[in-house]
């Protein structure tokens, strides 16, 4: 049974793709779905070894001499779920429901980022009534884990120099520039020893989280950093801590909402609990606006082995000392973050603890300097870093003809002025600008909220309005 009105192509395709698991690194099935779609509609297509897909549609009659238009979106979604949600992202369809004209998925992310862009392209490609120039539609993989699909895509078959990026989350806005970034992994080798002390389980829950590019300037709590702060203060107050396991965050580009730390200590439960209550009250007060539902709990656990005291203290110190969040903002664009980092994932793996961090800045020099600072902190505690997945920023083009044309069309069709924005998020637009010299890019998309979290929603009215605007604009190109 359909949740959405499937008479509208964009709704039909959205429900179709939510039946197909398509988390990052697991896009093969949705990629093959796109290939079958192209075959069904007799459209030329390319599929590469990464499972990126390009689908081409010849110009409609009368548009043969018009310049091609590239449209682009990514097919992978962030796979986050609530801890109590029994859901398998590798096999289960999303459980959709509508509430007050907003689309949700029960207990999980929705994948509107960037399912909306994928469905817009599928609807345009399958609509026989659309009057349009040649269309070149790019569907990339692994965007959410470092823009990998865009980096790996061979663009030599593309003829267009105009692009509409469909990875956008706010109606009435078009993005004009984006941040570059890279990943940084801290690794600390550890030694386990036998444990005969009481064991405790510290849980940090109830944080709002969010996208580490779009939400990093909102001062939201980071569960990994909160856990580190509590553990550091326990050590500072003379309480011995020997870590057993750390499990914090799910993605390095998502502000972590939960962190669990299991540790051993010779101090009894009542004393440790009283200390944690005191620390938690301070943290809750600091985050009372951004994260009013923060919960810090302690319970008893069990463990036969634990990490030795020296390594445990080193891990806690590194987590405590490495900075996190917004570090700098633009001197020319008010409110635009220009340097940040997110301590997204902390894990215990056999004989290592790893700390996975996403760093963002349009300035390569600022990113490099921050990596050096983190390297020095790590070195002090016998840890090492690896820097990977660098991606370029997208510079503002003051002479964009496509943006001016879209601004004019948007005003004529809606009576509203299109807002130009810059983002601290990393976008594939930076890769396309680097790969296709001279390309003119705009972005556009419907209202959605809570992306990268189980609270993700899609405004269905906005979803339809934006498609109608996109449809009409393409007919003018």
């Amino acid at each position: 049974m359909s949740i959405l009105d499937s008479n509208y192509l964009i709704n039909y395709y959205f429900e179709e793709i939510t039946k197909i698991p398509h988390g990052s690194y697991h896009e093969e099935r949705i990629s093959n779905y796109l290939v079958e779609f192209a075959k069904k509609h007799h459209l030329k297509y390319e599929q590469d070894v990464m499972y990126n897909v390009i689908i081409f549609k010849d110009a409609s009659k009368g548009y043969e001499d018009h310049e091609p238009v590239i449209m682009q979106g990514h097919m992978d979604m962030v796979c986050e779920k609530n801890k109590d949600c029994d859901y398998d992202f590798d096999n289960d369809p999303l459980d959709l429901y509508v509430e007050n004209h907003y689309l949700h998925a029960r207990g999980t992310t929705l994948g509107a980022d960037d399912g909306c862009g994928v469905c817009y392209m599928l609807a345009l490609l399958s609509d026989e009534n659309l009057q349009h120039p040649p269309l070149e539609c790019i569907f990339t993989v692994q965007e959410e884990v470092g823009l990998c699909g865009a980096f790996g895509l061979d663009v030599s078959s593309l003829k267009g120099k105009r692009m509409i990026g469909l990875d956008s989350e706010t109606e009435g806005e078009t993005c004009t520039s984006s941040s570059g970034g890279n990943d940084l992994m801290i690794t600390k080798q550890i030694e386990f020893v036998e444990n005969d002390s009481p064991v405790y389980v510290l849980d940090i829950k109830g944080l709002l989280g969010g996208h580490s590019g779009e939400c990093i300037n909102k001062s939201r709590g980071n569960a990994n950093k909160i856990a580190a702060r509590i553990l550091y203060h326990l050590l500072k107050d003379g309480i011995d801590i020997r870590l057993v396991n750390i499990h914090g965050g799910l993605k390095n580009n998502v502000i972590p909402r939960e962190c669990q730390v299991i540790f051993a200590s010779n101090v009894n439960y009542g004393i440790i609990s009283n200390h944690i209550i005191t620390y938690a009250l301070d943290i809750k007060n600091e985050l009372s606006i951004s994260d009013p539902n923060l919960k810090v709990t302690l319970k008893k656990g069990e463990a036969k082995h634990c990490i030795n005291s020296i390594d445990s203290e080193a891990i806690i110190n590194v987590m405590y000392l490495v900075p996190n969040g917004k570090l700098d903002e633009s001197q020319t664009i008010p409110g635009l973050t220009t340097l940040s980092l997110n301590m997204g994932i902390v894990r215990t793996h056999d004989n290592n603890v790893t700390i996975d961090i996403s760093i963002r800045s349009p300035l390569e020099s600022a990113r490099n300097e921050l990596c050096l600072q983190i390297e020095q902190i790590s070195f002090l505690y016998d840890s090492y870093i690896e820097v990977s997945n660098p991606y370029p920023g997208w510079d503002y083009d003051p002479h964009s003809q496509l943006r001016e044309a879209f601004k004019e069309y948007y005003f004529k069709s809606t009576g509203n002025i299109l807002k130009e924005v810059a983002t601290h998020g990393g976008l594939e637009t930076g890769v396309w600008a680097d790969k296709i010299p001279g390309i003119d890019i705009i972005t556009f998309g419907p209202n959605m909220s809570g992306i990268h979290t189980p609270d993700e929603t899609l405004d269905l009215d906005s979803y339809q309005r934006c498609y109608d605007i996109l449809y009409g604009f393409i007919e003018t190109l």
Side-chain angles (χ1 to χ4, degrees):
M1 176 179 169
S2 294
I3 299 298
L4 305 174
D5 184 349
S6 58
N7 290 315
Y8 295 95
L9 287 172
I10 56 172
N11 290 343
Y12 169 77
Y13 287 118
F14 197 94
E15 287 208 62
E16 285 291 291
I17 67 171
T18 60
K19 297 174 185 175
I20 308 168
H22 55 284
S24 303
Y25 302 118
H26 299 280
E27 302 97 341
E28 180 179 359
R29 280 173 284 184
I30 193 170
S31 177
N32 290 337
Y33 171 85
L34 297 174
V35 168
E36 292 304 314
F37 166 91
K39 291 178 179 178
K40 177 181 176 181
H41 293 279
H42 308 289
L43 299 171
K44 179 186 172 185
Y45 70 90
E46 296 176 0
Q47 182 186 43
D48 65 16
V49 295
M50 293 185 72
Y51 296 108
N52 291 305
V53 174
I54 306 174
I55 301 178
F56 303 85
K57 187 177 183 181
D58 292 337
S60 54
K61 187 176 180 180
Y63 284 74
E64 294 89 350
D65 60 346
H66 290 218
E67 292 185 17
V69 173
I70 304 171
M71 287 183 287
Q72 189 274 326
H74 62 88
M75 65 181 90
D76 63 318
M77 65 175 281
V78 168
C79 296
E80 267 222 44
K81 64 179 181 178
N82 291 322
K83 197 167 186 178
D84 59 355
C85 179
D86 183 18
Y87 180 83
D88 181 358
F89 276 109
D90 291 335
N91 296 292
D92 297 340
L94 295 175
D95 186 4
L96 304 179
Y97 70 97
V98 177
E99 187 174 73
N100 297 324
H101 297 277
Y102 287 85
L103 184 64
H104 310 250
R106 285 184 177 85
T108 71
T109 39
L110 174 65
D113 172 23
D114 187 28
C116 291
V118 170
C119 295
Y120 280 177
M121 289 188 284
L122 292 177
L124 293 169
L125 288 168
S126 59
D127 191 316
E128 297 298 329
N129 296 316
L130 177 68
Q131 302 298 301
H132 60 88
L135 300 180
E136 302 174 333
C137 293
I138 305 173
F139 304 83
T140 53
V141 299
Q142 299 173 29
E143 188 272 349
E144 299 289 6
V145 289
L147 316 180
C148 305
F151 278 116
L153 183 69
D154 181 356
V155 299
S156 61
S157 61
L158 299 175
K159 307 300 181 186
K161 290 286 188 177
R162 303 181 293 176
M163 172 179 280
I164 303 174
L166 297 172
D167 186 10
S168 185
E169 295 93 35
T170 306
E171 182 180 355
E173 293 184 356
T174 189
C175 191
T176 60
S177 65
S178 63
S179 184
N182 55 260
D183 297 337
L184 183 146
M185 181 76 79
I186 303 172
T187 301
K188 167 65 180 172
Q189 293 185 342
I190 54 177
E191 179 185 7
F192 278 92
V193 296
E194 290 187 2
N195 175 57
D196 56 5
S197 301
V199 174
Y200 306 102
V201 181
L202 172 66
D203 277 302
I204 314 297
K205 295 182 178 180
L207 295 166
L208 192 57
H211 187 285
S212 66
E214 299 301 325
C215 299
I216 205 72
N217 64 339
K218 296 181 179 180
S219 301
R220 292 179 181 173
N222 179 305
N224 294 329
K225 289 292 291 183
I226 291 171
R229 173 174 169 176
I230 290 172
L231 294 169
Y232 176 82
H233 279 277
L234 287 173
L235 287 173
K236 190 171 181 291
D237 288 344
I239 296 174
D240 70 299
I241 298 290
R242 279 156 288 132
L243 299 172
V244 175
N245 186 67
I246 306 178
H247 189 284
L250 294 175
K251 306 285 182 182
N252 76 354
N253 62 350
V254 177
I255 300 170
R257 299 177 300 116
E258 298 184 359
C259 180
Q260 182 180 85
V261 181
I262 303 174
F263 65 93
S265 176
N266 290 319
V267 179
N268 70 51
Y269 175 86
I271 293 174
I272 294 178
S273 180
N274 286 337
H275 278 77
I276 289 177
I277 289 171
T278 300
Y279 311 147
L281 285 174
D282 288 339
I283 298 168
K284 287 179 180 180
N285 183 56
E286 293 167 16
L287 300 177
S288 61
I289 302 301
S290 65
D291 292 277
N293 298 316
L294 168 63
K295 294 181 180 179
V296 179
T297 62
L298 184 72
K299 62 184 179 183
K300 295 180 180 180
E302 295 181 355
K304 294 181 179 179
H305 295 86
C306 61
I307 302 170
N308 69 43
S309 298
I310 294 175
D311 290 345
S312 293
E313 184 171 344
I315 294 161
I316 293 167
N317 285 337
V318 170
M319 290 180 63
Y320 181 74
L321 290 173
V322 168
N324 183 77
K326 175 181 174 179
L327 300 182
D328 203 358
E329 69 175 48
S330 172
Q331 298 181 31
T332 57
I333 303 176
L336 176 64
T337 303
T338 54
L339 180 62
S340 76
L341 73 166
N342 178 58
M343 188 181 291
I345 309 172
V346 183
R347 290 286 188 274
T348 307
H349 309 273
D350 298 325
N351 296 317
N352 294 296
V353 169
T354 57
I355 304 171
D356 194 353
I357 296 169
S358 174
I359 296 176
R360 298 177 189 268
S361 177
L363 305 171
E364 184 178 4
S365 60
R367 300 198 304 268
N368 290 343
E369 187 68 17
L370 184 54
C371 288
L372 287 173
Q373 292 174 16
I374 296 173
E375 184 178 41
Q376 287 303 304
I377 293 170
S378 302
F379 176 77
L380 291 174
Y381 295 98
D382 196 25
S383 306
Y384 65 92
I385 71 166
E386 292 179 274
V387 179
S388 62
N389 298 326
Y391 57 90
W394 168 38
D395 292 332
Y396 176 74
D397 178 4
H399 308 296
S400 169
Q401 295 181 8
L402 186 62
R403 187 173 67 244
E404 290 305 310
F406 188 51
K407 287 167 61 178
E408 182 179 347
Y409 178 81
Y410 188 81
F411 182 75
K412 286 181 179 179
S413 61
T414 69
N416 298 316
I417 295 174
L418 186 70
K419 185 179 179 181
E420 298 180 34
V421 298
T423 180
H424 187 56
L427 298 178
E428 289 170 307
T429 46
V431 181
W432 309 130
D434 187 58
K435 283 194 166 194
I436 308 173
I439 193 169
D440 192 353
I441 306 174
I442 62 169
T443 69
F444 189 59
N447 289 329
M448 55 188 83
S449 64
I451 62 169
H452 295 193
T453 79
D455 298 321
E456 183 179 5
T457 65
L458 171 62
D459 181 338
L460 291 173
D461 294 335
S462 176
Y463 182 46
Q464 184 64 55
R465 281 195 304 269
C466 289
Y467 179 71
D468 292 341
I469 292 167
L470 178 65
Y471 191 102
F473 181 58
I474 286 173
E475 292 196 324
T476 70
L477 295 176

